[in-house]
Each structure stands twice: as structure tokens, then as C-alpha cells.
Amino acid sequence: MDRFSIRGGTRLDGEIRISGAKNAALPILAATLLTPDPVRIGNVPRLRDITTMIKLLSSMGVELRADEHGEVLACAARVTDFSAPYELVKTMRASILVLGPMLARFGRAHVSFPGGCAIGSRPIDLHLHGLQAMGAQIEIDGGYINARVTGRLRGAHILFDKVTVGGTENLLMAACLADGRTVLENAAREPEIVDLAHCLQAMGACISGAGSDTLVVDGAEQLKGCAYPVMPDRIETGTFLVAAAATRGRVRLLGTRSDTLEAVLVKLAETGARIEHGPDWIELDMAGKRPRAVSIRTAPYPAFPTDMQAQFTAMNAVAEGSSTVIETIFENRLIQVHEMNRMGARIGVEGHTAIVEGMPSLKGAPVMASDLRASASLVIAGLVAEGETVIERIYHIDRGYECIEQKLQQLGADIRRLCA
């Protein structure tokens, strides 16, 4: 397996461009199943998860063509296979997002039940209950979800017991071809869901309430093709901002949006960073100063994102002062703490809370990544550590960060990919 070798101690400084959002591109790719017309998607990042979704759609008969400029042309005119096999679904939970579109357009779907995840369980019962409320017949057999509907799905009033990003996306897509009006209450509000809604609207869907906790969808008999650019990746943006803060450096990020990560920018300002932004750029400058520790508590959008918790924990490990990090979304998302402590960090964990005592520096060490965002946090720790840090199992980071080592090299980091 590939590894990263990082020699820390260099302040990040420079300018890079942010890629398209993985968490928006994946449901938008799944949404191409809703129409027989071609859909042209721009700003698609080159990531392992995107490759997996393209393989899954191709296996169903969707014609796909991707170019080197981040554009994917998808045409689902001749879908011949209505199954999502375990071999693909097990590598990426977002594969479950084909369930709603397939059931809505073709009346059937055979999708492998997704397994657990290192960061905690993410059950899909809310997806299934919602589809059943819309008239779907669902059976679980041999680890697969067998779903059917006679005729069209029907509109329904669905109140989510808890906020679910994937459930909101799946039912939003399914509702676009349902008969009648669907109301989704306590829906997730993430910017990536708004991006999906805007893409669906470009395909002819009638959706109101995007960005609020109530989505109203008036189903159509069919949708059309469109051209749509994926939004910038707010988590990649936040990760590079935190890396610059941790290394006492300065970065200017292009092709991004500040309005999608206000909670992150507020906390970065508390570190003492000077932050400026425009319509499509953000700049952070620590002016060589050690960041001040900041306490965070994760919660659904628009609060502080769980996908940025690990990165802030790494920054707090070398910040001035002590902090608490409370994780409320996933039960195992503090798992990266043990690897940071091997590098000299002083982090204690009590339940879902990490207590971080900032140290002047860390020491390079061999460490192992457990999930996508934990990988990013270990990269940040390596950037501020004395000596060499070698990070194993970096296939996790390739799922969600496009060419991260090349972008960090542009900012002056001493990071190399060691190929197996």
C-alpha cells in the first residue's frame, strides 16, 4: 500500500485551487439515473470514491465519459441492470444513493446493504422507512435490499426521526419522479444537498425549501438532461485552512466559497488568524504566530461539521492553551487521537470528548490512518512535527482529497508519496 512521508516544520505559504465537492458529486452522479437524457457534470474531482460510483453506474448500463478537465457526461438511456453489488457498495457507503433514483424511475432496485464504518454506525433505516411511506415494497434478503413499486412512487409526508444527509438525498431524488407532492421534514441542510437540489431543478424537478429543514417536491413524470457544475469542496477548503493555521503559515484558496463553512471560519478567527475572503476565494494568514486553542462541538449543518473535527484536533495539539473537542455525530470519530499521541500530543478522551493540551511541537513517527478525515488530521500533524512522519493506509485520503500531496508541495510542504 502507498504511504506518505512528511518532514515537518515548514510553514505553508502560497496559493492553490480547490476541487469540486466529493459529497455533492456523488449524489449528483446517482441522480443521472433519473433521466434517459444526457447529463453533463462539471468540476467533478478525481477521487477513488468518484471512480467507484462511475464503476457502479457503468455496471448498470449507464454510458459515462470522463475527461481530464473534471467533466463527466452520463447517459442512463439504456440501463439494463438494476443491482448494486456488494463488491462495490462495501468500498463506499454513498453507493446506497442509487436506491432512490432506480426505484423511482424503474420501479425496482437490488442494492447491497452497506456495512459499518470505522467512524461509527450509519444505519439506513430512515432511507427505507421513507421509501416505504412512498409505496415501495422492501425486503432484506442475503444482505441485499430488494425494493419494488407497482407503478410510480407516490408523494408522502415524511418526518425524519433524526437529521440524515444520505436519507435526505435518497428520498429527495426519489420524490422527483413520484406521483404527487412529497414533504421532507427535519431534512438535512448541508450545502451539498442544496447543490443536489439545484442540479435536480436544472433537470426539471419542482423543489422548494432547499437549504431549510423542510423540502417540498412536486413529482414529475420525467426529468430531462442538463449541464451542471459541482460546488467547491468545503471540507477540502477547511482542511487546507487548518493546515496553514497549524503551521503558522498563509494560504490563499481559489475556486471556493466562504458561505458554506461559516462555522469553521469563525473558529479559525478565534485562533488569531487573519481571514479575508471574496466571492470565490479565501485567504488565511497566521503571520508566523502559534494558533490559540479553540474548543469545538460538532453538530449538523449549519453548526460545526464533524468532517472538520479531526483536523481541528490536530491543530489544537500544537496550539497555545487547552481545548475540548466534543463529537456528537459519530461514536468512533476520535479514533485518530491515539495516533497523534504517539507523536507526542497530549490528548485524553472521555466518552465523546477529547481534552487537548497544546504542545509547542510534535515528533515524527510512523502512524496509521483509520478513515478519510483521520488521514487528513495525521497529515496536518506530520506537517508540524519535528522529523519524519510516515502515514500508512493513505488509500483513505485518496477517497476524498484530490492530489493532496501535490497541492501541499505547491505550498512548500516536504511530503512524498511512497508507492508500494
Side-chain angles (χ1 to χ4, degrees):
M1 296 182 184
D2 290 0
R3 298 166 291 159
F4 278 151
S5 170
I6 305 173
R7 290 195 174 274
T10 301
R11 294 179 186 172
L12 297 187
D13 188 281
E15 181 178 279
I16 58 172
R17 181 165 293 276
I18 294 300
S19 301
K22 172 183 82 86
N23 290 337
L26 290 172
I28 288 173
L29 282 167
T32 64
L33 288 165
L34 291 167
T35 176
D37 297 340
V39 178
R40 191 179 300 274
I41 311 168
N43 202 33
V44 178
R46 291 172 293 176
L47 301 169
R48 186 184 294 263
D49 277 7
I50 298 296
T51 300
T52 300
M53 181 63 83
I54 288 175
K55 286 181 180 178
L56 175 57
L57 293 172
S58 296
S59 73
M60 296 174 179
V62 179
E63 297 179 13
L64 291 126
R65 186 169 69 248
D67 65 23
E68 66 275 15
H69 304 297
E71 185 172 276
V72 174
L73 180 63
C75 182
R78 289 184 288 273
V79 173
T80 55
D81 192 332
F82 307 102
S83 63
Y86 172 72
E87 290 71 25
L88 290 172
V89 175
K90 71 177 181 180
T91 65
M92 184 186 67
R93 289 187 55 88
S95 302
I96 195 67
L97 293 176
V98 302
L99 176 60
M102 274 202 296
L103 191 57
R105 182 168 164 221
F106 304 107
R108 53 180 168 151
H110 181 67
V111 179
S112 173
F113 208 92
C117 180
I119 62 174
S121 63
R122 291 188 276 182
I124 62 163
D125 55 321
L126 299 180
H127 304 230
L128 304 185
H129 293 332
L131 291 171
Q132 287 173 324
M134 299 172 74
Q137 299 174 349
I138 294 176
E139 295 180 353
I140 308 297
D141 182 30
Y144 276 79
I145 302 161
N146 295 315
R148 285 187 174 273
V149 63
T150 302
R152 293 169 64 188
L153 291 171
R154 61 177 182 266
H157 193 127
I158 299 167
L159 173 62
F160 292 109
D161 288 344
K162 61 180 180 180
V163 176
T164 165
V165 172
T168 299
E169 291 168 338
N170 234 336
L171 297 183
L172 174 62
M173 289 186 282
C176 289
L177 292 181
D179 183 14
R181 172 169 289 186
T182 298
V183 178
L184 303 177
E185 287 200 73
N186 197 29
R189 302 165 58 187
E190 272 70 6
E192 294 80 9
I193 293 175
V194 177
D195 209 38
L196 171 63
H198 288 166
C199 179
L200 292 168
Q201 288 170 330
M203 295 167 67
C206 183
I207 302 169
S208 62
S212 76
D213 61 2
T214 301
L215 293 167
V216 180
V217 186
D218 289 312
E221 290 191 10
Q222 61 182 21
L223 297 183
K224 61 184 180 181
C226 73
Y228 190 82
V230 173
M231 67 174 284
D233 196 314
R234 63 190 174 104
I235 304 303
E236 184 193 25
T237 299
T239 298
F240 280 106
L241 292 174
V242 171
T247 62
R248 312 183 189 189
R250 181 199 70 86
V251 294
R252 184 180 178 91
L253 306 180
L254 306 177
T256 189
R257 287 168 44 190
S258 61
D259 63 312
T260 62
L261 65 163
E262 292 180 354
V264 171
L265 295 180
V266 167
K267 286 297 178 180
L268 283 170
E270 289 182 19
T271 70
R274 179 183 61 81
I275 300 172
E276 297 180 352
H277 56 82
D280 61 354
W281 60 271
I282 304 174
E283 183 173 304
L284 178 145
D285 190 355
M286 287 301 301
K289 299 179 298 183
R290 184 181 177 190
R292 294 193 293 265
V294 293
S295 294
I296 59 173
R297 179 187 182 93
T298 66
Y301 189 87
F304 191 91
T306 181
D307 279 354
M308 285 301 306
Q309 175 264 109
Q311 298 91 313
F312 267 75
T313 302
M315 179 190 67
N316 280 336
V318 293
E320 184 179 348
S322 300
S323 59
T324 57
V325 176
I326 303 174
E327 174 58 57
T328 72
I329 307 297
F330 296 119
E331 61 265 30
N332 295 331
R333 204 151 208 182
L334 293 170
I335 195 170
Q336 79 281 352
V337 162
H338 307 294
E339 296 298 293
M340 290 185 197
N341 283 345
R342 297 184 66 247
M343 300 174 69
R346 291 186 180 176
I347 309 174
V349 177
E350 298 178 4
H352 300 303
T353 301
I355 299 92
V356 188
E357 180 184 345
M359 303 292 293
S361 65
L362 301 178
K363 298 287 186 181
V367 292
M368 184 174 295
S370 57
D371 62 77
L372 172 56
R373 306 308 173 186
S375 302
S377 73
L378 293 177
V379 168
I380 293 171
L383 291 172
V384 298
E386 299 175 3
E388 183 185 24
T389 298
V390 176
I391 305 176
E392 303 279 354
R393 294 170 62 180
I394 62 170
Y395 59 83
H396 287 295
I397 208 164
D398 291 334
R399 290 182 44 232
Y401 292 90
E402 182 177 25
C403 305
I404 189 171
E405 73 273 26
Q406 295 174 23
K407 292 184 178 182
L408 286 169
Q409 288 165 1
Q410 291 177 42
L411 298 174
D414 185 350
I415 178 173
R416 294 178 297 132
R417 181 181 291 260
L418 307 177
C419 298

